[in-house]
Amino acid sequence: MSHRIVTLAAWAVLAYLTTAASAQTTDSKKDDGAANQSGPTIKDAYKGIFLIGAAGDLPGGYSADELDLVRQNFNIVTPENCMKPGPVHPSENTWRFERPDALVKWCAENHIAVHGHTLVWHAQTNNWFFRDGDKAVATRRLKDHISTLVGRYKGKIRGWDVVNEAIKDGGNSETAKTENLRNSPWMKALGPDYIPLAFKFAHEADPDAKLYYNDYNIEAGPKHESSMVLLRRLVKDGVPIYGVGIQGHWNTARVPYEAIDRAIADYASLGLKVSITELDVTIRGASGGQLGRGRPRGEVSPPSAEDLKAQANAYAKLFTIFLKHKSQIERVTFWGLSDRRSWRRGQHPLIFDAANHRKPAYAAIVDALQHPKPEAATPR
Ligand code: G3I
């Protein structure tokens, strides 16, 4: 009898110690900014509201765990580089379809949609497009590029960023009244008509594709005003444009919430849909620069619990704004998969950490559905 009592007492003590130890571990994890790894996935939570996407040149070079992460969390993928003019069409008679074909096939097999990026850009575009030719030759090359690429994936790619980053950076009250177009090689070759022409060629190649103008920093200031001037022209001229991509490369310390809120409404007033196409919110003060130049993978200082909390708060505020405009917003795509698979690695910008674990921002975004951040949505 007394032996049984001793045994029961020993079990009780052991159970208490185990619970206390695990509570302590959880607490200390909380202090480290560790996030809950369970709960609904972001794509399921936002089903029927927005498509939730990630960028990446899938599946080549991605681990089985990473591909699982994509399947579980995202329902649309944007190729990060492989469909850009430089990689896919390096010279007039050379096309490199291996990676784009593999991406489209993998996404179809996994019931994931594809958003194409990007047909016309000033960067990652080889000079042959503009060499030894007049306006007619450049127009033919533009048409051939777009028709071949869009036509190849007709019905398989849901939409395209047709023209990327056409507006100059900065600006002032004078340029704000104009389109303030970048003096890109396309601009030099064809003038401002290259934009409607690109949309026309894309529409002819796949009339059902949703066609976007995509740019960064267009939510605020003179660049926003210029984007409105440009988009008004396109809409007025009947150009087959479906939406505007606000890229969304932001920093925790300086997210222009009010401007984003207003910009979405401005674009909607032109009859255009909006997508957040390249979302990442870097952590203030974190080391490392854009593209992680000179910084080998794995050599970045970890974010503090406070940093992660501030980032979670920023993402929650952003999604509260997106939800306010849910009837205008089609898709929210993160630019990369994890903090290891990001052009801004070193600045911890995404919702999965470098080991593919959910960060606090993940739960905060899901939670924004139930508990919106009221201070984020500014009344107009
Ligand atoms: O593929 C080559 C590889 O063959 C070569 O060995 C290696 C050596 O540096 O470079 C590889 O290409 C790199 C490519 O990413 C693929 O990793 C390029 O150098 C590098 O410049 C390129 O960076 C991309 C950048 O666009 C180019 O401007 C980033 O990954 C990509 O995230 C970034 O994405 C852009 C969007 O398209 C438009 N909006 C802004 C966004 C961020 O810059």
Side-chain angles (χ1 to χ4, degrees), residues 285-319:
S287 60
Q290 291 184 344
L291 299 170
R293 283 207 173 98
R295 188 172 292 277
R297 279 164 206 255
E299 267 189 37
V300 293
S301 60
S304 69
E306 204 179 54
D307 286 337
L308 292 168
K309 214 164 143 189
Q311 184 183 47
N313 199 37
Y315 269 116
K317 283 183 174 187
L318 281 167
F319 273 77

Side-chain angles (χ1 to χ4, degrees), residues 80-81 84 117 121 124 164-165 247 249 278 335 343:
E80 187 174 357
N81 286 296
K84 289 172 177 171
H117 174 83
W121 195 19
Q124 283 178 291
N164 196 39
E165 303 174 359
Q247 292 189 0
H249 296 296
E278 306 187 9
W335 202 245
W343 73 297

Side-chain angles (χ1 to χ4, degrees), residues 98-375:
E98 300 82 357
R99 296 206 75 166
D101 282 357
L103 183 141
V104 170
K105 180 168 177 280
W106 186 85
C107 286
E109 286 165 359
N110 289 286
H111 313 290
I112 295 173
V114 179
H115 179 79
H117 174 83
T118 177
L119 298 172
V120 177
W121 195 19
H122 62 274
Q124 283 178 291
T125 302
N126 293 355
N127 278 336
W128 67 262
F129 276 104
F130 316 103
R131 210 177 286 138
D132 305 327
D134 55 10
K135 216 167 165 175
V137 172
T139 307
R140 185 182 49 72
R141 287 172 178 161
L142 178 71
K143 181 169 188 198
D144 171 59
H145 175 73
I146 293 175
S147 311
T148 307
L149 192 51
V150 176
R152 184 177 183 92
Y153 301 114
K154 183 179 176 188
K156 295 181 181 166
I157 287 195
R158 192 171 191 279
W160 282 93
D161 292 332
V162 177
V163 176
N164 196 39
E165 303 174 359
I167 302 170
K168 276 186 195 158
D169 290 326
N172 54 43
S173 55
E174 283 310 303
T175 65
K177 297 175 199 152
T178 71
E179 297 181 2
N180 201 24
L181 295 180
R182 203 185 275 276
N183 200 17
S184 71
W186 283 116
M187 183 71 175
K188 285 181 194 147
L190 300 179
D193 279 353
Y194 84 89
I195 299 176
L197 273 177
F199 277 91
K200 177 176 173 281
F201 297 149
H203 184 67
E204 285 169 2
D206 185 353
D208 292 329
K210 296 174 195 310
L211 306 182
Y212 272 81
Y213 174 73
N214 189 49
D215 210 333
Y216 60 87
N217 290 350
I218 47 166
E219 59 276 1
K223 200 166 172 183
H224 174 66
E225 297 310 320
S226 291
S227 75
M228 290 296 288
V229 178
L230 167 63
L231 294 164
R232 264 190 221 109
R233 161 167 73 108
L234 301 184
V235 170
K236 183 170 126 308
D237 292 352
V239 171
I241 178 171
Y242 174 84
V244 186
I246 297 176
Q247 292 189 0
H249 296 296
W250 290 308
N251 173 291
T252 305
R254 288 184 303 276
V255 184
Y257 299 109
E258 292 182 19
I260 295 164
D261 187 16
R262 275 194 300 272
I264 297 168
D266 282 348
Y267 296 139
S269 75
L270 300 179
L272 298 171
K273 290 277 179 198
V274 174
S275 285
I276 312 302
T277 52
E278 306 187 9
L279 181 58
D280 51 14
V281 184
T282 56
I283 281 179
R284 170 186 38 162
S287 60
Q290 291 184 344
L291 299 170
R293 283 207 173 98
R295 188 172 292 277
R297 279 164 206 255
E299 267 189 37
V300 293
S301 60
S304 69
E306 204 179 54
D307 286 337
L308 292 168
K309 214 164 143 189
Q311 184 183 47
N313 199 37
Y315 269 116
K317 283 183 174 187
L318 281 167
F319 273 77
T320 298
I321 295 170
F322 304 158
L323 283 164
K324 179 181 162 192
H325 299 281
K326 64 182 172 196
S327 56
Q328 275 87 45
I329 294 187
E330 188 200 18
R331 168 174 60 95
V332 180
T333 290
F334 295 87
W335 202 245
L337 175 61
S338 66
D339 285 347
R340 198 176 83 85
R341 295 282 194 176
S342 162
W343 73 297
R344 299 166 113 185
R345 64 181 180 273
Q347 295 175 306
H348 315 287
L350 294 171
I351 57 172
F352 290 104
D353 67 18
N356 301 330
H357 295 136
R358 293 181 183 188
K359 291 164 64 184
Y362 191 106
I365 291 171
V366 172
D367 193 50
L369 279 161
Q370 307 301 332
H371 306 107
K373 292 267 174 192
E375 74 274 26

